[in-house]
Amino acid sequence: LAAIRSNHDILEKAFQSLRAHLGINPGDETLNLLAIVEESLRISRLACERLEAVIRSVREDRRQTNLHDAIESALALLGHELKGRIQIVKDFGDITGVEGRPDQLHQVFMNIILNSAQAIQGTGEIRITTRQDGPMVRIMISDSGPGISAEIRDRIFDHGFTTKGAQSGMGLGLGICHKIIEDHAGHIEVDSDIGKGATFTVVLPAAPGSEKEG
């Protein structure tokens, strides 16, 4: 990871020098190419930062976590996977924060959203809804994919299970997600039928005395 970060820093400096060398009017085609490289560098840096955060989370202390921030961070990192293909619809409610490890919760949302995106063939929609349910917070992630059969639905949280080749994209990392949410005193619910998409609902206890995020 340190080597990747070092090479990334070198590429960023080289890119800045190249942009300065080309001047302020390099032409439309060159501008488009520069924009592509610049966006790729941004995603690369963000990915490195998230990897570093995951490594730190191994010893991370629990603290109050803003779930909307964790979701937005996951969407930013997955922008290249979603852009031009998946429409994201956010329906955020007034929810409280939760007590947990922010980077682990970010990883859960990123895995579920990525699996939903990979399950959708062609274009589609992912709807993310958050609601307060008494002392619990519910985060619903619904996709317009092909859905999950009952037989597979009973196994998707098994460690190592993947439906690649059967229902493309579903099951990747879901066992890890399930374990993380259980460690946070919560659980994950799945509602799906063939041809009707899938909804993953993460249920977590609200942090004592926390204020609503809005």
Side-chain angles (χ1 to χ4, degrees):
L1 181 55
I4 293 170
R5 277 300 294 265
S6 177
N7 284 340
H8 179 272
D9 290 343
I10 292 171
L11 285 172
E12 273 195 328
K13 291 176 182 177
F15 176 74
Q16 291 167 4
S17 296
L18 177 61
R19 182 182 278 280
H21 178 72
L22 290 172
I24 60 173
N25 295 307
D28 291 341
E29 185 175 352
T30 303
L31 280 174
N32 289 336
L33 292 173
L34 289 174
I36 291 170
V37 175
E38 194 165 34
E39 176 66 6
S40 297
L41 287 170
R42 186 191 68 81
I43 293 170
S44 175
R45 175 171 288 281
L46 184 57
C48 286
E49 290 172 353
R50 298 312 309 176
L51 283 170
E52 289 172 339
V54 169
I55 292 169
R56 287 195 305 270
S57 73
V58 174
R59 295 188 300 174
E60 181 183 32
D61 292 331
R62 290 176 180 263
R63 57 185 173 85
Q64 186 165 318
T65 303
N66 185 307
L67 294 176
H68 289 164
D69 286 350
I71 294 168
E72 293 286 10
S73 178
L75 290 173
L77 186 57
L78 292 173
H80 63 290
E81 181 76 25
L82 307 172
K83 187 175 181 180
R85 194 173 72 86
I86 307 296
Q87 180 182 5
I88 299 296
V89 178
K90 291 180 284 190
D91 181 9
F92 289 173
D94 291 330
I95 62 172
T96 57
V98 303
E99 187 173 303
R101 296 182 170 89
D103 289 312
Q104 289 187 358
L105 293 174
H106 165 272
Q107 191 67 31
V108 168
F109 298 133
M110 191 168 73
N111 283 348
I112 294 176
I113 294 169
L114 177 60
N115 286 336
S116 294
Q118 291 178 335
I120 296 171
Q121 301 298 313
T123 59
E125 177 184 289
I126 295 175
R127 177 178 292 271
I128 305 173
T129 306
T130 62
R131 291 290 186 270
Q132 190 77 29
D133 185 11
M136 309 298 286
V137 180
R138 301 176 70 87
I139 305 95
M140 289 79 77
I141 301 173
S142 305
D143 66 64
S144 60
I148 313 169
S149 67
E151 309 83 62
I152 293 177
R153 195 166 60 243
D154 293 338
R155 300 175 56 201
I156 58 175
F157 293 121
D158 293 349
H159 288 289
F161 177 75
T162 175
T163 58
K164 267 292 189 185
Q167 302 253 81
S168 180
M170 299 308 299
L172 301 178
L174 291 177
I176 296 173
C177 292
H178 188 266
K179 179 65 168 59
I180 289 173
I181 296 303
E182 279 193 336
D183 289 345
H184 284 73
H187 63 276
I188 302 180
E189 303 168 356
V190 183
D191 182 18
S192 179
D193 287 304
I194 293 296
K196 297 182 179 180
T199 297
F200 287 83
T201 302
V202 177
V203 184
L204 291 164
S210 63
E211 297 182 357
K212 289 191 174 182
E213 301 174 5

